[in-house]
Every structure is written in C-alpha cells, then in structure tokens.
Amino acid sequence: MVPTGRGRTIGRMSPGSRGSRRRERSRRPVLYAAVASSVLLAGTAATTVYVKAQAHDATALVSHASAAAGGPSVSPSSSPSASPTVDPDALLAEALKGRDGTFSVAVLDVADGTSAAYSSGEDDRTYDTASIVKVDVLAALLLRAQDEGRSLTGQEKAYAAAMIENSDNSATTAVWDIIGGADGLDAANERLGLTGTTGGDGPLWGLTQTTAADQLALLRQVFGVAGDSDQVLDASSRAYVEELMGNVESDQRWGVSAAGDGDGLALKNGWLRRSTTGLWDINSVGRVTVDGKRYLVAVVSDGSATKDAGISLVEAVAKAAVPVVSGAA
C-alpha cells in the first residue's frame, strides 16, 4: 500500500503496528508552548489586552497625563506605565476564534522573526502530513548528500523534481527508500529541529505525523530568517528546495498562496482522503509575499468532509494568520 498526497485512498495502520515501532524509537516531546499560550489567552480575553479595539480605551492604556500638556495625573503613581504588550499568539487566537474545523497554524515574518501559532484542538496533537512530507524527505536527502560531500545524482534530481513540482508518489517512495525510511527521516529531523514529527511506518510516508510548529521550523531551515545562525542545509541545498517549491504545477498552487499577492510564492500542499473515515487531510506550507514582505506559513488540518472544504479552511486560516504578524490585523 502506497500513501498518497494526490487524492488516492489509503488506510490507517493498526494501533499495534504503529505503537510497536514507536516504542522502539522514543518519541520526542511535542512542545507547543506557543500554541498553548494562545489558547489560554483566547480563553481569558476578558482580562487580557490584546485586541486592537482595546487601544481606543484611553484609561486602559494610559496611566498618566502628559506633563507637557499640563493636565492632572490620572494615576496614583508618579511614573508612567509601559504600553501593554501585544501577544501575537493571542491576536491569532482572536482572529480565528469560532472558526469551524480541526486545524493548526504557525506563521512567521521573515524580516524580523515575529511569529504566532494557534491550534483549534488539543495543543499536543499531531496531523498526518500527506504530501507536505515531501519537503522534509527532500531535506533529508540533501543532508545525506552534504554529509557525503557530493551533489545529488541525476536520478536523485529527477526524483526530487517530480516529488515536489508534481507531487509524484512513486518518486517519493524511491527517495524514502534512499534516505532509510522513517528512521532516516527522524534522524534528519533531529538535526533540522523538528521535535514533534515522526516518520510513517514502513512505506507509509504519507502518514508521517507532524505539527504546524515543526513545519514552520522546516520552512525556516529552507528559506532562512533574519538572524538565524543554526541552519543545517547549506546555501546550495536551500536554493534547490526553494526553486522546486516555486515551480509546483499550476493546479497545486492553492493553500497558503491565498494569503499572499503571488510574488515569490513557494509552497507544497498535501491532500489525502482517509479510507477509515472518508474524511480529508488538507495541508499547505510555504512562503508568501505581501506588499514586498515575506512570510512563512504552515497550516495542517484533518476531518474535512470534502477536499474543497478542506482547501477553503486552510486558505481562510492562512489569510487570517499573516496579518497578525504583518501588523495589518
């Protein structure tokens, strides 16, 4: 059975088979502090200043009158109070409050590193990757080549191009085998900083489990962020992944692209109908540009009744997320 990101049906493996391999390979903890913070803040919005409307309440934001204006102080304290800190996670939670669907999102401003994350469900839950894992598989292949002091072979490049640009499953299976399957992917992810991603059992790379936060970490490794000094992929490898993600076939350019203006778009999508439920996993990760500024966005979801419904959800979440870190929210 071969997993797919192109709408083909696969079944979920039994809990016993998945649990057996995971007991052999200790699972790294899924740390979702940022998302947990956003959920907490969203649940206590009445006591937290984080929505723009609060800025219009002068008594809430100003603790003293301007001495230059000669007005009386409105605070018993003689020292001015600092402006309230705006929490991007809380802003994102507010922006997505009440939205139906099971999803998780992480977004980052490439220029200044401002980021935000939110999960509609349990903070530590993971999602099937479907075909977004192909970026991770390619990163593992490139790390392997770097370690061996070589470039990709002609055959490996052919697999990589088909895997990313066309979401070809046979090419992905070939690369999956080259990197050593789940064990090879997990080893690469330790170096790439993905702490909550676990490779799928056997040939089931599409059932690799991941989080939006981990997908954002992978995008940082590929595209880079101002001030980052811990990138594992070298410049040539990063440029190669970026080139392929910027050249996906036209009918696969939905998803996080909805949050950008089309310039500098680079993305990879994943879609998978689960045979056990008939419901859809719909995921999208990539880089978008808005008014000349670049943002990294990762949205993962499951449980959509149709593929189109899942795409609409992912696109709506991405469009709500980018303004939070761009300052337009």
Side-chain angles (χ1 to χ4, degrees):
M1 186 184 310
V2 177
T4 176
R6 297 176 66 86
R8 290 164 55 189
T9 301
I10 64 174
R12 188 183 296 273
M13 69 291 290
S14 69
S17 64
R18 180 179 290 278
S20 175
R21 186 170 68 76
R22 288 183 179 168
R23 284 193 295 272
E24 295 172 5
R25 187 171 69 251
S26 62
R27 181 167 179 171
R28 297 177 293 280
V30 181
L31 301 181
Y32 235 44
V35 178
S37 172
S38 71
V39 173
L40 176 60
L41 286 166
T44 58
T47 60
T48 306
V49 178
Y50 59 83
V51 293
K52 280 193 170 183
Q54 301 277 1
H56 299 297
D57 184 351
T59 61
L61 300 181
V62 182
S63 63
H64 71 291
S66 170
S73 172
V74 295
S75 168
S77 171
S78 60
S79 61
S81 64
S83 298
T85 299
V86 177
D87 182 353
D89 290 343
L91 281 174
L92 184 55
E94 180 68 14
L96 295 171
K97 183 172 62 177
R99 187 171 297 280
D100 292 334
T102 305
F103 62 89
S104 183
V105 56
V107 59
L108 179 143
D109 184 330
V110 171
D112 64 17
T114 300
S115 65
Y118 174 77
S119 177
S120 68
E122 297 177 0
D123 299 337
D124 61 351
R125 71 158 296 173
T126 59
Y127 293 78
D128 300 330
T129 55
S131 282
I132 61 170
V133 76
K134 293 171 182 178
V135 178
D136 201 5
V137 171
L138 177 55
L141 177 65
L142 289 165
L143 279 179
R144 181 186 180 95
Q146 286 180 199
D147 291 345
E148 295 172 354
R150 64 175 180 86
S151 300
L152 296 187
T153 67
Q155 183 62 74
E156 288 171 338
K157 287 182 178 179
Y159 287 147
M163 180 171 66
I164 303 298
E165 296 179 350
N166 310 117
S167 203
D168 186 271
N169 292 330
S170 296
T172 307
T173 298
V175 179
W176 181 255
D177 291 340
I178 291 171
I179 68 171
D183 289 338
L185 186 74
D186 292 347
N189 283 340
E190 287 186 8
R191 299 167 63 184
L192 292 165
L194 280 63
T195 60
T197 298
T198 306
D201 287 331
L204 301 178
W205 45 259
L207 294 185
T208 294
Q209 296 297 294
T210 195
T211 64
D214 265 14
Q215 290 303 305
L216 187 63
L218 179 59
L219 292 173
R220 289 186 74 138
Q221 287 287 346
V222 171
F223 296 104
V225 176
D228 277 358
S229 59
D230 58 351
Q231 287 178 299
V232 179
L233 293 172
D234 63 27
S236 177
S237 293
R238 296 196 303 271
Y240 183 62
V241 181
E242 180 178 347
E243 176 187 357
L244 296 183
M245 291 180 68
N247 196 39
V248 299
E249 60 184 60
S250 59
D251 63 343
Q252 296 180 24
R253 288 179 170 262
W254 46 265
V256 297
S257 56
D261 55 23
D263 292 337
L265 174 65
L267 83 169
K268 183 72 191 80
N269 295 327
W271 59 103
L272 174 64
R273 184 177 182 269
R274 297 307 310 272
S275 62
T276 51
T277 64
L279 301 177
W280 286 82
D281 299 331
I282 302 292
N283 307 320
S284 184
V285 300
R287 183 191 65 194
V288 301
T289 303
V290 180
D291 296 331
K293 295 188 65 177
R294 292 183 169 181
Y295 305 90
L296 305 181
V297 193
V299 186
V300 291
S301 75
D302 62 24
S304 291
T306 66
K307 179 182 177 182
D308 286 344
I311 291 174
S312 294
L313 170 64
V314 165
E315 291 185 339
V317 169
K319 286 194 287 186
V322 169
V324 168
V325 295
S326 71

CSV table of all heavy atoms in Angstrom, one decimal, residues 14 20 29 204 252 256:
chain,number,residue,atom,x,y,z
A,14,SER,N,-2.8,-0.4,12.0
A,14,SER,CA,-3.3,-0.7,13.3
A,14,SER,C,-2.6,-0.1,14.4
A,14,SER,O,-1.4,0.2,14.2
A,14,SER,CB,-3.3,-2.3,13.5
A,14,SER,OG,-2.0,-2.7,13.6
A,20,SER,N,4.2,-0.4,18.1
A,20,SER,CA,5.4,-1.2,18.2
A,20,SER,C,6.6,-0.5,17.8
A,20,SER,O,7.6,-0.5,18.5
A,20,SER,CB,5.2,-2.5,17.4
A,20,SER,OG,6.4,-3.2,17.4
A,29,PRO,N,9.3,14.8,22.6
A,29,PRO,CA,8.2,15.5,23.1
A,29,PRO,C,7.7,16.6,22.1
A,29,PRO,O,8.4,17.2,21.4
A,29,PRO,CB,8.7,16.2,24.4
A,29,PRO,CG,10.1,16.3,24.2
A,29,PRO,CD,10.5,15.1,23.3
A,204,LEU,N,4.6,3.9,4.5
A,204,LEU,CA,3.5,4.9,4.6
A,204,LEU,C,4.1,6.3,5.0
A,204,LEU,O,3.7,6.8,6.0
A,204,LEU,CB,2.5,4.4,5.7
A,204,LEU,CG,1.9,3.0,5.4
A,204,LEU,CD1,1.0,2.6,6.5
A,204,LEU,CD2,1.2,3.0,4.0
A,252,GLN,N,-1.7,22.9,-8.4
A,252,GLN,CA,-1.4,22.7,-7.0
A,252,GLN,C,-0.9,24.0,-6.2
A,252,GLN,O,-0.2,23.9,-5.2
A,252,GLN,CB,-0.3,21.6,-6.9
A,252,GLN,CG,-0.7,20.3,-7.4
A,252,GLN,CD,0.4,19.2,-7.4
A,252,GLN,OE1,1.3,19.3,-6.6
A,252,GLN,NE2,0.3,18.2,-8.2
A,256,VAL,N,-1.7,28.1,1.2
A,256,VAL,CA,-1.2,29.3,1.8
A,256,VAL,C,-1.0,30.4,0.8
A,256,VAL,O,-0.9,31.6,1.2
A,256,VAL,CB,0.1,29.0,2.5
A,256,VAL,CG1,-0.1,28.0,3.7
A,256,VAL,CG2,1.2,28.5,1.6
